[in-house]
Amino acid sequence: MNQDDALDREKLMEIDMALLDLLDERAAITGHSGDRIDGAGHYSRLLANYEGMYDAAFVQDLLENLTDASSRQASAEDPPPLLVSRAHQSADTIVRIGDAEIGGDAPAHIFGPCAVESYRQVAEVASALKQKGLKMIRGGAFKPRTSPYDFQGLGQEGLEILKEIKETHGLAVVSEIVAPEHVTMAEDHLDAFQIGARNMQNFELLKAVGRSQKPVILKRGMSATIEEFLYAAEYILAEGNGNVVFCERGIRTFEKSTRNTLDISAVPLLKQASHLPVLVDVTHSTGRKEIMSDCAKAALAAGADGIMAEVHPNPAIALSDRAQQMSLEEFDNFHFSLI
């Protein structure tokens, strides 16, 4: 290689490096702003002023291909990890509800009646929970039901009862809300909002509770995939509320021997994918009191951070879910099995 050839190669390298630097600058514009650039006008103006050795069709084709490549590269960039994901936060989140910690070293359970029917009814259950050293109670003030003719809950009166239970028994109270406007109404009465299965993808409701800092127990929809469940929680975290607890409550399958099908695999899958804690509702997933204890133990063995179940002083006269609510005696045996 003679000296002239060496100089030409160095010059070519210098030109190509300069071209690559300019291509990077061009890609930064066309990759993210290409939809705002008037392509026809741009090329018409460019070619009117170009006097080089390449014909106009070649130049336009070359530049259009570069623009397409830049757009594809920009769209292929990895999006930031979801806020709910382990990639975003590796350490487990601990959600505090009153004096209870969900996601800590010990399981934290939530028991109580399906629906708030009266102060006396909830107080009987609260006394039984308090005696066992439990720190939370659940009860539905709003009850979205399959039939419009079924008991729909006491609404505002139910919230007032729960607040009184909190004050007299010292238990943190958890209850479902079903509409965005309930957030303001219920915020002063509850220690945690519950989003039921039927509202898992009620995105306006998810955003509304996300704008509050009140803890949220998010139940899995009856036909929701794990991915959809994670994205539902993401709606809440994206609004600024990181105090979210997943609750697996069974999914709808062809099986009819239980109310729903308890997806035990959801527990380790959620724990692997997310830093948020996970509860398992054995009442709605099974609907059968004789197997709830075994299913609860299986859930805890799979890594669940606690169990949710329904308890009523007299299930035979309950206004909802009579067959699946445990009596206080049945609850004694159930709770003993978890110790």
Side-chain angles (χ1 to χ4, degrees):
M1 180 186 302
N2 59 39
Q3 188 175 1
D4 289 341
D5 287 340
L7 290 172
D8 287 344
R9 288 178 179 273
E10 286 302 314
K11 184 62 175 177
L12 182 61
M13 178 64 71
E14 182 181 333
I15 292 171
D16 285 346
M17 289 300 298
L19 277 173
L20 289 174
D21 287 340
L22 290 171
L23 285 173
D24 284 343
E25 290 185 37
R26 188 179 194 280
I29 297 172
T30 59
H32 300 285
S33 308
D35 58 336
R36 300 196 302 271
I37 295 173
D38 177 9
H42 176 76
Y43 294 127
S44 176
R45 180 183 172 192
L46 177 70
L47 294 172
N49 292 281
Y50 174 67
E51 298 178 351
M53 62 182 292
Y54 298 104
D55 63 62
F58 174 82
V59 172
Q60 182 167 338
D61 186 57
L62 174 65
L63 295 177
E64 286 177 346
N65 285 333
L66 286 172
T67 299
D68 290 343
S70 299
S71 297
R72 288 195 299 272
Q73 179 70 23
S75 63
E77 292 176 1
D78 291 333
L82 296 180
L83 299 174
V84 300
S85 69
R86 288 280 183 191
H88 175 76
Q89 177 182 316
S90 59
D92 289 340
T93 289
I94 297 175
V95 176
R96 291 173 174 81
I97 300 178
D99 293 330
E101 291 187 345
I102 304 179
D105 295 332
H109 307 309
I110 305 177
F111 304 121
C114 173
V116 175
E117 299 167 8
S118 68
Y119 175 81
R120 179 178 177 180
Q121 166 237 10
V122 182
E124 284 189 59
V125 177
S127 294
L129 301 183
K130 189 76 171 178
Q131 289 172 6
K132 292 176 171 59
L134 296 165
K135 299 178 180 179
M136 296 178 283
I137 185 171
R138 55 143 291 146
F142 300 94
K143 296 298 299 178
R145 307 296 296 280
T146 300
S147 169
Y149 306 111
D150 289 338
F151 177 61
Q152 303 287 313
L154 298 179
Q156 179 71 42
E157 182 184 353
L159 293 175
E160 296 293 343
I161 290 172
L162 288 171
K163 185 175 183 180
E164 191 172 352
I165 291 293
K166 173 183 176 179
E167 293 169 351
T168 57
H169 291 80
L171 296 173
V173 292
V174 178
S175 192
E176 180 175 357
I177 58 172
V178 298
E181 58 267 26
H182 290 166
V183 173
T184 302
M185 179 197 305
E187 202 156 23
D188 183 52
H189 298 73
L190 304 177
D191 293 286
F193 298 126
Q194 179 179 301
I195 304 298
R198 291 171 177 83
N199 276 308
M200 189 205 80
Q201 290 185 307
N202 182 340
F203 300 122
E204 293 307 312
L205 178 57
L206 297 179
K207 287 187 282 188
V209 296
R211 290 188 288 270
S212 167
Q213 289 304 304
K214 190 78 67 176
V216 180
I217 296 173
L218 178 65
K219 286 198 164 188
R220 184 181 181 183
M222 290 178 282
S223 301
T225 64
I226 296 294
E227 181 182 37
E228 290 167 336
F229 200 12
L230 289 166
Y231 272 112
E234 186 74 5
Y235 267 89
I236 302 172
L237 270 70
E239 294 292 331
N241 187 352
N243 299 306
V244 178
V245 180
F246 289 113
C247 184
E248 165 60 37
R249 46 81 67 205
I251 53 175
R252 179 168 289 173
T253 69
F254 57 82
E255 182 55 63
K256 295 187 178 296
S257 60
T258 53
R259 174 171 175 167
N260 291 287
T261 298
L262 175 56
D263 184 7
I264 286 290
S265 67
V267 177
L269 287 173
L270 288 168
K271 300 289 278 187
Q272 287 177 14
S274 177
H275 52 87
L276 298 175
V278 181
L279 298 177
V280 171
D281 179 346
V282 294
T283 296
H284 290 91
S285 57
T286 70
R288 296 182 59 166
K289 292 187 283 187
E290 74 273 19
I291 66 170
M292 286 181 190
S293 175
D294 291 334
C295 289
K297 286 183 281 188
L300 293 173
D305 296 294
I307 301 299
M308 181 178 283
E310 292 182 349
V311 185
H312 194 287
N314 188 355
I317 61 170
L319 299 180
S320 58
D321 287 352
R322 294 176 186 174
Q324 66 186 33
Q325 295 196 70
M326 289 181 280
S327 68
L328 296 179
E329 182 179 356
E330 290 168 330
F331 176 63
D332 284 342
N333 296 327
F334 173 84
H335 183 257
F336 181 76
S337 73
L338 301 182
I339 299 174

Short mmCIF file of all heavy atoms in Angstrom, two decimals, residues 113-119 121-122 138-141 143 151 153-155 157-159 161-162 175 319:
data_model
loop_
_atom_site.label_atom_id
_atom_site.label_comp_id
_atom_site.label_asym_id
_atom_site.label_seq_id
_atom_site.Cartn_x
_atom_site.Cartn_y
_atom_site.Cartn_z
N PRO A 113 -67.14 -10.39 58.29
CA PRO A 113 -68.35 -10.77 57.55
C PRO A 113 -68.30 -10.32 56.10
O PRO A 113 -67.62 -9.35 55.75
CB PRO A 113 -69.46 -10.05 58.32
CG PRO A 113 -68.79 -8.89 58.96
CD PRO A 113 -67.41 -9.36 59.31
N CYS A 114 -69.03 -11.04 55.27
CA CYS A 114 -69.15 -10.66 53.86
C CYS A 114 -69.68 -9.24 53.75
O CYS A 114 -69.11 -8.41 53.05
CB CYS A 114 -70.07 -11.64 53.14
SG CYS A 114 -70.45 -11.17 51.45
N ALA A 115 -70.77 -8.97 54.45
CA ALA A 115 -71.41 -7.65 54.38
C ALA A 115 -71.67 -7.12 55.78
O ALA A 115 -71.93 -7.89 56.72
CB ALA A 115 -72.73 -7.74 53.61
N VAL A 116 -71.58 -5.82 55.92
CA VAL A 116 -71.97 -5.16 57.17
C VAL A 116 -73.50 -5.12 57.20
O VAL A 116 -74.12 -4.50 56.33
CB VAL A 116 -71.40 -3.74 57.24
CG1 VAL A 116 -71.92 -3.01 58.48
CG2 VAL A 116 -69.88 -3.77 57.22
N GLU A 117 -74.09 -5.79 58.18
CA GLU A 117 -75.56 -5.84 58.29
C GLU A 117 -76.06 -5.03 59.48
O GLU A 117 -77.16 -4.46 59.42
CB GLU A 117 -76.00 -7.31 58.43
CG GLU A 117 -75.60 -8.15 57.21
CD GLU A 117 -75.75 -9.64 57.47
OE1 GLU A 117 -76.31 -10.01 58.54
OE2 GLU A 117 -75.32 -10.44 56.63
N SER A 118 -75.28 -5.00 60.56
CA SER A 118 -75.65 -4.22 61.75
C SER A 118 -74.40 -4.04 62.60
O SER A 118 -73.41 -4.76 62.44
CB SER A 118 -76.73 -4.95 62.57
OG SER A 118 -76.18 -6.14 63.15
N TYR A 119 -74.47 -3.10 63.53
CA TYR A 119 -73.33 -2.90 64.43
C TYR A 119 -73.12 -4.14 65.28
O TYR A 119 -71.98 -4.61 65.45
CB TYR A 119 -73.56 -1.69 65.34
CG TYR A 119 -72.44 -1.54 66.35
CD1 TYR A 119 -71.24 -0.93 66.00
CD2 TYR A 119 -72.58 -2.05 67.65
CE1 TYR A 119 -70.20 -0.83 66.92
CE2 TYR A 119 -71.54 -1.95 68.56
CZ TYR A 119 -70.35 -1.35 68.19
OH TYR A 119 -69.32 -1.27 69.08
N GLN A 121 -73.81 -7.28 64.73
CA GLN A 121 -73.25 -8.39 63.94
C GLN A 121 -71.74 -8.23 63.77
O GLN A 121 -70.97 -9.16 64.01
CB GLN A 121 -73.95 -8.45 62.58
CG GLN A 121 -73.26 -9.33 61.55
CD GLN A 121 -72.91 -8.58 60.26
OE1 GLN A 121 -73.01 -7.34 60.21
NE2 GLN A 121 -72.51 -9.31 59.25
N VAL A 122 -71.30 -7.04 63.37
CA VAL A 122 -69.87 -6.82 63.13
C VAL A 122 -69.11 -6.82 64.46
O VAL A 122 -67.98 -7.33 64.54
CB VAL A 122 -69.63 -5.51 62.37
CG1 VAL A 122 -68.15 -5.31 62.07
CG2 VAL A 122 -70.42 -5.49 61.06
N ARG A 138 -62.59 -7.14 58.03
CA ARG A 138 -63.18 -6.75 56.76
C ARG A 138 -64.71 -6.81 56.87
O ARG A 138 -65.26 -7.52 57.73
CB ARG A 138 -62.71 -7.68 55.64
CG ARG A 138 -62.97 -9.17 55.90
CD ARG A 138 -63.34 -9.90 54.63
NE ARG A 138 -64.65 -9.49 54.16
CZ ARG A 138 -64.99 -9.40 52.87
NH1 ARG A 138 -64.12 -9.71 51.93
NH2 ARG A 138 -66.21 -9.03 52.52
N GLY A 139 -65.37 -6.06 56.01
CA GLY A 139 -66.83 -6.09 55.95
C GLY A 139 -67.29 -5.21 54.82
O GLY A 139 -66.80 -4.09 54.66
N GLY A 140 -68.22 -5.69 54.04
CA GLY A 140 -68.65 -4.95 52.86
C GLY A 140 -69.75 -3.94 53.15
O GLY A 140 -70.85 -4.31 53.59
N ALA A 141 -69.48 -2.66 52.93
CA ALA A 141 -70.51 -1.63 53.01
C ALA A 141 -71.23 -1.49 51.67
O ALA A 141 -72.43 -1.21 51.62
CB ALA A 141 -69.90 -0.29 53.42
N LYS A 143 -71.92 -3.69 48.16
CA LYS A 143 -71.86 -5.07 47.70
C LYS A 143 -72.31 -5.18 46.25
O LYS A 143 -73.51 -5.30 45.96
CB LYS A 143 -72.75 -5.96 48.58
CG LYS A 143 -72.34 -6.06 50.03
CD LYS A 143 -70.95 -6.67 50.20
CE LYS A 143 -70.88 -8.07 49.65
NZ LYS A 143 -69.51 -8.62 49.79
N PHE A 151 -79.02 -8.26 48.10
CA PHE A 151 -78.61 -7.24 49.06
C PHE A 151 -77.36 -6.52 48.55
O PHE A 151 -76.34 -7.15 48.25
CB PHE A 151 -78.34 -7.89 50.42
CG PHE A 151 -77.83 -6.97 51.47
CD1 PHE A 151 -78.59 -5.88 51.90
CD2 PHE A 151 -76.58 -7.17 52.06
CE1 PHE A 151 -78.12 -5.02 52.88
CE2 PHE A 151 -76.11 -6.32 53.05
CZ PHE A 151 -76.88 -5.25 53.46
N GLY A 153 -75.74 -3.97 50.21
CA GLY A 153 -74.97 -3.34 51.26
C GLY A 153 -75.65 -2.10 51.82
O GLY A 153 -76.58 -1.56 51.23
N LEU A 154 -75.16 -1.65 52.97
CA LEU A 154 -75.75 -0.50 53.66
C LEU A 154 -75.16 0.83 53.21
O LEU A 154 -75.64 1.89 53.62
CB LEU A 154 -75.57 -0.65 55.17
CG LEU A 154 -76.26 -1.86 55.83
CD1 LEU A 154 -75.95 -1.88 57.33
CD2 LEU A 154 -77.75 -1.83 55.60
N GLY A 155 -74.11 0.80 52.40
CA GLY A 155 -73.52 2.04 51.90
C GLY A 155 -72.94 2.90 53.01
O GLY A 155 -72.17 2.43 53.84
N GLU A 157 -74.18 4.04 55.72
CA GLU A 157 -74.44 3.53 57.08
C GLU A 157 -73.44 2.44 57.43
O GLU A 157 -72.96 2.36 58.57
CB GLU A 157 -75.87 2.99 57.16
CG GLU A 157 -76.23 2.48 58.54
CD GLU A 157 -77.61 1.85 58.60
OE1 GLU A 157 -78.35 1.93 57.59
OE2 GLU A 157 -77.95 1.24 59.64
N GLY A 158 -73.11 1.59 56.47
CA GLY A 158 -72.13 0.55 56.71
C GLY A 158 -70.75 1.11 57.02
O GLY A 158 -70.03 0.60 57.89
N LEU A 159 -70.38 2.18 56.33
CA LEU A 159 -69.11 2.83 56.62
C LEU A 159 -69.08 3.40 58.03
O LEU A 159 -68.06 3.31 58.74
CB LEU A 159 -68.85 3.95 55.61
CG LEU A 159 -68.60 3.53 54.15
CD1 LEU A 159 -68.48 4.77 53.27
CD2 LEU A 159 -67.35 2.67 54.02
N ILE A 161 -70.72 2.27 60.59
CA ILE A 161 -70.59 1.14 61.52
C ILE A 161 -69.13 0.68 61.60
O ILE A 161 -68.60 0.43 62.69
CB ILE A 161 -71.51 -0.02 61.07
CG1 ILE A 161 -72.98 0.35 61.30
CG2 ILE A 161 -71.16 -1.32 61.81
CD1 ILE A 161 -73.97 -0.63 60.71
N LEU A 162 -68.48 0.59 60.47
CA LEU A 162 -67.08 0.16 60.46
C LEU A 162 -66.19 1.15 61.21
O LEU A 162 -65.27 0.75 61.94
CB LEU A 162 -66.59 0.00 59.02
CG LEU A 162 -67.15 -1.19 58.25
CD1 LEU A 162 -66.77 -1.12 56.78
CD2 LEU A 162 -66.65 -2.51 58.85
N SER A 175 -62.74 -2.32 53.64
CA SER A 175 -64.03 -2.49 52.97
C SER A 175 -63.91 -2.11 51.50
O SER A 175 -63.06 -1.29 51.11
CB SER A 175 -65.11 -1.62 53.64
OG SER A 175 -66.40 -1.98 53.17
N LEU A 319 -77.21 -12.00 55.09
CA LEU A 319 -77.87 -11.41 53.92
C LEU A 319 -77.13 -11.68 52.62
O LEU A 319 -77.64 -11.35 51.54
CB LEU A 319 -78.03 -9.90 54.13
CG LEU A 319 -78.89 -9.49 55.33
CD1 LEU A 319 -78.97 -7.97 55.43
CD2 LEU A 319 -80.28 -10.10 55.24
#
